[in-house]
Amino acid sequence: MTEKKEPLFSQFPPVTTEEWRAKVEADLKGAPFDKKLVWRTNEGFSLQPMYRAEDIASFTTTDSLPGQYPYIRGTKTNNDWLSRQEIIADTPEEANAKALEVVTKGINSLGFKVKEGSLKEVEALLNALDLQAVEINFTCCPKKALTLAENLVKYLKANDAELLFHGSIDFNPFKRALRHGGEMLPDMVQTTVELLKTVASVPALKVLAVDSVMLSDAGAYIYQELGYALAWGASWMTLLTDAGVDANEVARRIKFNMGVSSNYFMELAKFRAARMLWAQIAKQYGADEDACRQAVHASTSRFNQTIYDAHVNLLRSQTECMSAALAGVDSITVVPFDAPYTTPDDFSERIARNQQFLLKEESHLDKVVDPAGGSYYVETLTVSIAREAWKLFLAVEEMGGFLAEVEAGAVQKAVTESGVKRHTDVARRKEILLGTNQYPNINETAAQKITAKPGCSCSCSAEAGEGGLPTTRAASDFEALRLETEAASNRPKVFMLTIGNLAMRLARAQFSTNFFGCAGYEIIDNLGFETVEQGVDAALEKGADVVVLCSSDDEYATLAPEAFKYLNGRAEFVVAGAPACMEQLQAEGIKDFVHVRCNVLDTLRDFNSRLLRH
């Protein structure tokens, strides 16, 4: 007789959403649920603290299987991806030698930066590489793309490798206008049609780039990158089908090169939404379902990389790589942690490679297709991001399409505004960069490790022009502040005058240490003083430039005026906090307060202007 098995938790009565919410509201003790627990995202929608099966009951996103149209669950029946490394070298021969080395270490996708696109350069780059085993991706000036394609096809024909080759030429005629503003590449459509004819004999060579990673690295929000990427892809479809090119041929030649930020679940959902929306867009142009598969390469973010505490970049890029891997992209580049301040060396490139291998070989993320599929939270995020991106896509189409919006500077303007908003959020610590605007390593210096990196000599230089996308990273403003401190002849000393309530003085001293540490000042903390006179005397004995009073709000009413008067202008005086008696203290002449509502960057810039000597 077989033992009867009862369903798990069958002895527990079902709990409704209303009952869960009632319990939460009771625990909140009158605090508003929507203000305390509902999160308003930068993507334009709100997120609940909890999701249940009923929340996705009406979704159709769970109806298909991996490899099935509209590919929300992936374009493949496995979750393997290609691990790509960008090859940095001075000559084609050096690049080839480096490529041959890294493919023996697990890399199966290579990125080459091409200068001329000559046959000699192509031969030197590809010498002895197994073109069947390794994906080859070329980046070049758009003006060189046709020449490169012609010589690449010549090389492949000469080596009977046309059907073996798989990879891409990053033909991006939008690049100059996006980076510098102004006009597009002349004769773009005619050049693109010729490019497609040239590569017709190499079926797995993608040549139409959608480089939305440019937008991501400029500070675009996730829905913006996706919305503009879709519009960019649709622009290729419109321009070329209108020119008489078959929709299937166009769709199969497009490659999406997308960024991935540290917003873990949101980025995972973005790629799922991207495949779903792109499949439906391509189908509307007449492409068959197989041609509607979106080819996606993901690159970890440069926007959130930092110069100070640079090894934290490894933590950021690891979660970013995980997002892309779990989302089922085709290939991934992990940007080395030292890329913001120098040309990556062998060590940082090896670590970047190993970050991907760790996710494959130790975490086995390549073994399960769409592991997030069916998650109430991820499915909700996927649909929500898809809706916001679709709104932007439609708005761009109504304005004449992506090409028209780029030429008008509207795309650059919108992304720049988002970048400015994110910089402000970093300045106010609404967006945290560990080691930069929160918990800095106050004794670290960085000026000595920053080396100049050569830029491209063509019109597609990485530097932004007027009306182009910004190139500053989120940490750039804070880094400039600290570098200014390093360059000064004096390093300001900040003394924590801790007194009164033990818990409050410790908490505020810690807050103030982090606050002033963001400028690279020397911090002198203390266990506490019996009187403000003792504290001020100790501060002056240490040569303090700034004295920060750390106590409780109740005690500030008497302690702050006493300390301020006794200090008598011999150092800058700061109160840690925003006490109810602030106006009273300001009337006494105290002007500096540091608290959670401060713009940290602007406050520290003001102190730099007062304290630094050059």
Side-chain angles (χ1 to χ4, degrees):
M1 182 177 178
T2 59
E3 181 182 354
K4 184 179 180 181
K5 295 183 179 179
E6 295 185 11
L8 190 64
F9 299 135
S10 63
Q11 297 179 22
F12 297 90
V15 180
T16 66
T17 300
E18 290 72 20
E19 289 174 307
W20 273 113
R21 176 150 180 160
K23 173 59 177 170
V24 171
E25 289 176 338
D27 290 344
L28 287 173
K29 296 180 172 57
F33 180 92
D34 290 338
K35 287 188 177 181
K36 283 289 183 181
L37 297 180
V38 176
W39 169 34
R40 181 68 180 178
T41 70
N42 289 322
E43 316 311 320
F45 56 87
S46 295
L47 290 176
Q48 296 293 325
M50 177 185 68
Y51 289 94
R52 293 162 60 90
E54 63 203 58
D55 293 306
I56 67 168
S58 61
F59 292 180
T60 59
T61 54
T62 56
D63 293 346
S64 62
L65 295 174
Q68 290 184 354
Y69 179 89
Y71 307 112
I72 186 171
R73 303 203 61 199
T75 58
K76 313 180 290 283
T77 55
N78 62 60
N79 200 45
D80 199 7
W81 70 89
L82 298 176
S83 298
R84 178 166 161 181
Q85 179 171 331
E86 308 302 326
I87 303 300
I88 302 172
D90 293 329
T91 67
E93 291 75 18
E94 290 177 7
N96 175 257
K98 188 171 183 179
L100 289 170
E101 178 188 3
V102 300
V103 296
T104 65
K105 297 177 179 179
I107 287 295
N108 51 14
S109 177
L110 297 167
F112 289 116
K113 192 168 185 177
V114 174
K115 294 180 180 179
E116 299 299 329
S118 64
L119 181 59
K120 181 180 178 181
E121 186 176 14
V122 171
E123 290 174 339
L125 288 172
L126 301 184
N127 181 42
L129 284 170
D130 184 348
L131 299 184
Q132 188 171 10
V134 183
E135 181 189 65
I136 306 294
N137 303 279
F138 297 101
T139 302
C140 64
C141 174
K143 296 176 183 178
K144 308 284 186 179
L146 184 56
T147 300
L148 171 60
E150 291 170 347
N151 288 315
L152 175 62
V153 172
K154 285 180 184 177
Y155 177 86
L156 296 177
K157 284 183 177 179
N159 290 274
D160 295 322
E162 291 171 285
L163 300 182
L164 302 179
F165 183 89
H166 58 296
S168 66
I169 294 174
D170 191 64
F171 176 57
N172 180 1
F174 297 83
K175 183 186 294 185
R176 188 178 189 281
L178 284 169
R179 281 189 172 158
H180 300 274
E183 298 179 354
M184 305 290 293
L185 184 72
D187 303 319
M188 182 180 73
V189 175
Q190 180 181 347
T191 300
T192 308
V193 171
E194 291 181 24
L195 183 62
L196 291 177
K197 290 179 180 177
T198 300
V199 302
S201 62
V202 189
L205 174 57
K206 299 187 181 299
V207 294
L208 306 177
V210 175
D211 289 334
S212 66
V213 64
M214 296 175 64
L215 311 180
S216 176
D217 286 343
Y221 290 120
I222 291 171
Y223 84 94
Q224 281 183 310
E225 185 198 1
L226 178 52
Y228 285 131
L230 296 172
W232 194 335
S235 182
W236 278 128
M237 296 295 295
T238 299
L239 291 170
L240 294 170
T241 54
D242 286 351
V245 183
D246 180 70
N248 287 318
E249 173 67 3
V250 180
R252 287 193 174 99
R253 299 292 181 176
I254 296 176
K255 186 167 189 175
F256 287 77
N257 299 299
M258 305 183 75
V260 50
S261 72
S262 296
N263 198 330
Y264 183 72
F265 286 108
M266 202 85 76
E267 287 287 0
L268 195 164
K270 177 190 75 178
F271 290 111
R272 301 177 84 246
R275 288 192 297 267
M276 175 181 68
L277 295 177
W278 176 248
Q280 295 175 75
I281 290 171
K283 195 170 186 179
Q284 290 301 310
Y285 282 90
D288 60 39
E289 290 190 357
D290 184 66
C292 292
R293 297 171 186 265
Q294 185 187 44
V296 181
H297 173 71
S299 293
T300 60
S301 175
R302 293 178 183 268
F303 183 75
N304 65 18
Q305 284 193 313
T306 62
I307 293 175
Y308 287 91
D309 221 344
H311 288 96
V312 180
N313 293 332
L314 295 170
L315 303 180
R316 300 184 185 105
S317 58
Q318 190 69 15
T319 65
E320 292 162 4
C321 186
M322 285 181 67
S323 294
L326 292 171
V329 302
D330 299 294
S331 56
I332 301 174
T333 293
V334 174
V335 178
F337 73 88
D338 57 354
Y341 55 86
T342 190
T343 300
D345 58 19
D346 290 341
F347 173 74
S348 64
E349 289 182 331
R350 177 169 65 86
I351 294 297
R353 289 194 299 269
N354 289 346
Q355 287 181 261
Q356 294 200 52
F357 301 155
L358 184 150
L359 296 180
K360 285 187 178 184
E361 304 301 329
E362 295 189 26
S363 301
H364 306 297
L365 298 192
D366 58 335
K367 298 296 189 289
V368 179
V369 186
D370 190 29
S375 160
Y376 308 146
Y377 180 51
V378 174
E379 294 291 356
T380 300
L381 280 179
T382 302
V383 171
S384 298
I385 289 173
R387 285 172 178 160
E388 296 305 316
W390 189 249
K391 290 177 187 176
L392 179 57
F393 169 76
L394 293 178
V396 172
E397 292 300 295
E398 288 175 5
M399 296 302 295
F402 187 75
L403 172 59
E405 287 289 84
V406 170
E407 289 184 322
V411 174
Q412 299 93 313
K413 182 175 183 291
V415 173
T416 298
E417 289 174 353
S418 296
V420 170
K421 172 65 165 58
R422 292 187 67 185
H423 275 272
T424 301
D425 286 346
V426 170
R428 302 185 71 89
R429 295 205 284 205
K430 286 185 173 181
E431 186 170 333
I432 299 299
L433 289 172
L434 193 65
T436 298
N437 69 349
Q438 189 69 283
Y439 304 117
N441 179 351
I442 60 176
N443 293 317
E444 180 185 8
T445 58
Q448 74 283 354
K449 69 181 183 182
I450 299 174
T451 60
K453 292 185 290 182
C456 178
S457 60
C458 72
S459 62
C460 304
S461 168
E463 296 300 319
E466 184 177 353
L469 294 171
T471 58
T472 53
R473 292 169 291 103
S476 296
D477 296 327
F478 275 96
E479 290 165 355
L481 189 77
R482 286 197 66 169
L483 289 170
E484 186 180 31
T485 301
E486 284 187 41
S489 59
N490 64 310
R491 182 188 180 193
K493 296 180 179 180
V494 180
F495 187 93
M496 301 298 156
L497 199 168
T498 53
I499 189 170
N501 183 284
L502 179 62
M504 290 304 302
R505 77 190 192 200
L506 290 176
R508 281 178 163 156
Q510 180 63 53
F511 173 86
S512 301
T513 295
N514 285 329
F515 193 103
F516 286 99
C518 294
Y521 296 168
E522 180 182 344
I523 307 297
I524 305 171
D525 202 355
N526 300 280
L527 296 177
F529 298 94
E530 293 295 328
T531 67
V532 293
E533 289 82 4
Q534 290 177 356
V536 169
D537 289 341
L540 295 175
E541 184 180 346
K542 293 288 188 179
D545 299 286
V546 180
V547 176
V548 183
L549 183 64
C550 302
S551 189
S552 66
D553 286 4
D554 293 340
E555 293 169 297
Y556 279 145
T558 56
L559 293 177
E562 290 177 18
F564 180 66
K565 184 177 180 180
Y566 186 71
L567 185 61
N568 194 28
R570 289 175 287 178
E572 301 290 339
F573 182 72
V574 178
V575 172
C581 62
M582 183 185 291
E583 290 186 6
Q584 173 191 335
L585 299 181
Q586 289 172 330
E588 298 270 357
I590 300 170
K591 62 179 182 178
D592 291 312
F593 299 81
V594 295
H595 48 83
V596 293
R597 294 190 298 277
C598 279
N599 185 309
V600 181
L601 181 66
D602 287 348
T603 302
L604 293 176
R605 280 173 170 167
D606 180 48
F607 274 101
N608 264 17
S609 68
R610 293 187 238 169
L611 300 174
L612 298 188
R613 297 189 298 271
H614 296 280

